[in-house]
Amino acid sequence: MTEFKNTAHELKLFRLRLLAMSVMVLVCFSLLVARFLWLQVVRHDAYAAQAEENRISVVPIVPNRGLILDRNGVVLARNYSAYTLEITPSKIGVPLDDLIDELGTLVDIQARDRRRFRRLMEESKRFESVPIRTRLSDEEVAKFTAQRYRFPGVEIQARLFRQYPYGKSAAHVIGYIGRISQRDAERISDSDDEANYNGTDYIGKEGVEKSYETQLHGITGYEEVEISAGGRAVRTLSRTPATPGKNLILSIDIELQKVIEEAFGDQKGALVAINPATGDILAYVSQPSYDPNLFVEGIDQQSWDELNTSIDRPLLNRPLSGTYAPGSTYKPFMALAALELGKRRPQDAIRDPGFFVLGNHRFRDDKEGGHGVVDMYRSIAISCDTYYYMLANDLGVNAIHDFMKPFGFGQITGIDLEHEKRGILPSTEWKRNAFRKPEQKRWVGGDTVSLGIGQGYNSFTPLQLAHATATLVNNGVVMKPHLVKIIEDGVTHERTETVPKESYRIPLKQENIDFIKRAMIGVVKEGTGANAFRGATYDSGGKTGTAQVVNIAKNQKYDSRKLSRIYHDNGLYIGFAPAEAPRIAIAAVVENGGWGAGVAAPLVRKAMDYFMLGKRPNEPIKSVAPGEAVTTEADVPAEDSVVTPTPVPAEGN
């Protein structure tokens, strides 16, 4: 049977299919055209910029960090360039330990380098690359460069490094820089200066390196570089140079600093020397010290443990954060308070039996049988405790507090370093706030008596003691103590002084100040400081001090031979020179050194000899036990019952 085709139907079906295909092609073509218009017209500018960014790389130019110099222009912190071998962990394709082992065949990588690298990886997550070796030799650079193709993710970078040429000298002043940690990065990201740290790996960690970070860092520059498809730089298109950081000219004299540090020998303690008229800190010594160069590239664990666990606490900034009882160095200020408040006249005298009785407590003077008749001048020159037991009791704690506060005792001085401690200038209000138990909050008479000889709750920093001494000899004119004297622009060399004028004046009677100065000169000429300053060709004034660090039990006397060295008394001395127009005021504390007259006064003598005469010491000081002291001084409180309180965490106001 023959089947006939329906030609008309098939033709109609073909046309429908052709039309459907045409519509489909038209829709697809329209979509392509629309996409083309979107990319080429609507989004042209955005994609053109992106393409340009792929072709052009913006590279930050890290500014040179500002220099740190002493008052005479001696460089204390400088920069130098060197090569660093750095690993970018995200770009390596082999296990990290295997890569480091392989690198060790070309470059010397020690175990301490590995430990430091691991720690930096944990602390510096912000950075793409972490150094495994710094300061490569030319030979090591050449060896790695020849084999570079074998180590993707490993590069040699030219870096600027910080160096402290004087090592331990003035380390607590200068501080150090270190790689930016995660905490540093978070702090920077929260500041307005985040963009300025693009490309920067280091930041100030301690000392003036930290407190003047903004000035030292400078302003980051930028360079537009055309790069190839392989990521290699082809040419520089534009360049905005970096602005170098500003230079800091310190007030300290590094030679005076070194003389004092050498004079300390193996003793612990602190010394601060200030120009009373300007507030310039001429020397700022904290012993023992540390080498800040250890921290620049990340200190190794062994060195860190040695510093951090040492019983001598070399990382402690003693002038700023160490607090000590001032001992008898407090007596000139107590005497001045008595004169100003009308509680004593210079000629008023007492008969010292060798003790002072308050209630059931007997407060002993150091000299058995007492000093006889003692007026104010003699009380300072020979350091009579009984005189000041009585004076403190007559003044009262709150009057003492109010008078001492303007001198800076127990106050923040505002020095240009961070982490300054306030110390304790006690008052009845302070004690109420410092303790929890009701019976501890009550101020008792014995508390006041101990304050008179610089013991009890008194706790001040060596910086505060030096600042108060400078204010006293500057006739009550208060100059803010500072370490940075001048900030110098790194480009224009324009200089700006940091403390151009006085802070305030304490209203004191000049005749009272002059009397206290004469009495302090008497300490040096005929009193407890005479032995240390015998033969000096210049006139000076001062006051010795000795402060106990352990309580004396009832009916016992202090005997250093029965105590461990860490329980020996602290020796102190404050002084000024020359006597007529002081250009230097000093406060020194020698921890566990013994008598102030036998250890701290000779230390200050060595410092003054260099400052006044340019004379360098022949040998360091030595600790002196009470029995070895040539001249006696009544600086250590001796009581029939313990009145020296246990230290408390709260600080005075």
Side-chain angles (χ1 to χ4, degrees), residues 331 334-335 337-338 342-344 348-359 361-365 370-376 379 383-397 399-400 445-454 637:
K331 290 175 181 176
M334 288 291 297
K343 293 293 185 178
R344 294 286 190 280
D348 291 342
I350 66 162
R351 182 170 295 279
D352 174 22
F355 59 86
F356 172 71
V357 177
L358 180 69
H361 300 292
R362 175 177 288 194
F363 299 85
R364 295 195 308 269
D365 196 294
H371 294 87
V373 178
V374 179
D375 61 8
M376 183 175 286
S379 75
S383 199
C384 174
D385 279 351
T386 305
Y387 186 96
Y388 291 95
Y389 290 145
M390 297 173 65
L391 177 58
N393 188 55
D394 289 346
L395 285 172
V397 59
I400 296 172
D447 294 339
T448 305
V449 172
S450 293
L451 299 182
I453 60 167

Side-chain angles (χ1 to χ4, degrees), residues 166 178 218 227 294 330 404 426 460 480 501 506 512 531 637:
Y166 284 85
I227 58 175
L294 293 172
Y330 206 46
M404 299 298 179
F460 311 129
K480 181 180 176 182
K501 60 181 180 180
I506 304 174
N512 292 337
N531 187 62

Side-chain angles (χ1 to χ4, degrees), residues 506-526:
I506 304 174
L508 302 170
K509 295 178 181 178
Q510 190 61 46
E511 61 267 27
N512 292 337
I513 298 175
D514 292 340
F515 174 81
I516 298 299
K517 289 181 185 178
R518 286 197 300 272
M520 293 178 73
I521 294 170
V523 170
V524 174
K525 289 186 176 296
E526 56 188 302

Side-chain angles (χ1 to χ4, degrees), residues 263 531-533 573 595-607 621 624:
N531 187 62
F533 282 85
Y573 189 84
W595 290 109
V599 64
L603 173 65
V604 174
R605 166 72 187 273
K606 293 176 187 295
I621 59 170
V624 177

Side-chain angles (χ1 to χ4, degrees), residues 22-145:
S22 299
V23 171
M24 186 178 295
V25 170
L26 182 61
V27 169
C28 291
F29 185 75
S30 298
L31 290 174
L32 289 173
V33 171
R35 183 62 177 168
F36 177 80
L37 291 172
W38 172 259
L39 294 175
Q40 295 294 325
V41 179
V42 178
R43 297 286 295 166
H44 174 269
D45 293 341
Y47 285 110
Q50 186 174 334
E52 189 70 10
E53 289 175 1
N54 290 333
R55 183 179 70 89
I56 299 174
S57 177
V58 179
V59 181
I61 304 173
V62 180
N64 287 343
R65 193 171 181 84
L67 304 179
I68 300 176
L69 307 92
D70 87 334
R71 66 186 301 113
N72 298 313
V74 178
V75 177
L76 306 179
R78 63 189 178 195
N79 307 309
Y80 70 95
S81 59
Y83 290 106
T84 300
L85 186 65
E86 302 187 7
I87 299 176
T88 305
S90 60
K91 294 182 179 180
I92 63 176
V94 296
L96 184 58
D97 289 333
D98 294 344
L99 174 65
I100 295 176
D101 290 339
E102 191 68 21
L103 287 171
T105 62
L106 302 175
V107 176
D108 182 26
I109 299 177
Q110 301 290 331
R112 65 175 179 271
D113 297 320
R114 292 173 181 259
R115 292 193 295 268
R116 183 182 60 192
F117 175 80
R118 292 291 184 183
R119 193 179 73 255
L120 288 175
M121 279 187 63
E122 296 174 358
E123 296 178 353
S124 305
K125 297 176 181 178
R126 171 177 182 262
F127 300 98
E128 294 182 357
S129 62
V130 179
I132 183 67
R133 256 294 308 280
T134 59
R135 287 168 282 190
L136 300 177
S137 66
D138 292 341
E139 181 180 355
E140 288 174 324
V141 172
K143 282 183 178 180
F144 175 79
T145 302

Side-chain angles (χ1 to χ4, degrees), residues 5 7 85 177 211 266 394 636 639:
K5 294 183 178 180
T7 305
L85 186 65
I177 66 169
S211 54
D266 61 356
D394 289 346
V636 182
E639 308 112 19

Side-chain angles (χ1 to χ4, degrees), residues 456-470:
Y457 290 110
N458 285 325
S459 183
F460 311 129
T461 66
L463 173 62
Q464 290 172 354
L465 195 55
H467 177 48
T469 304

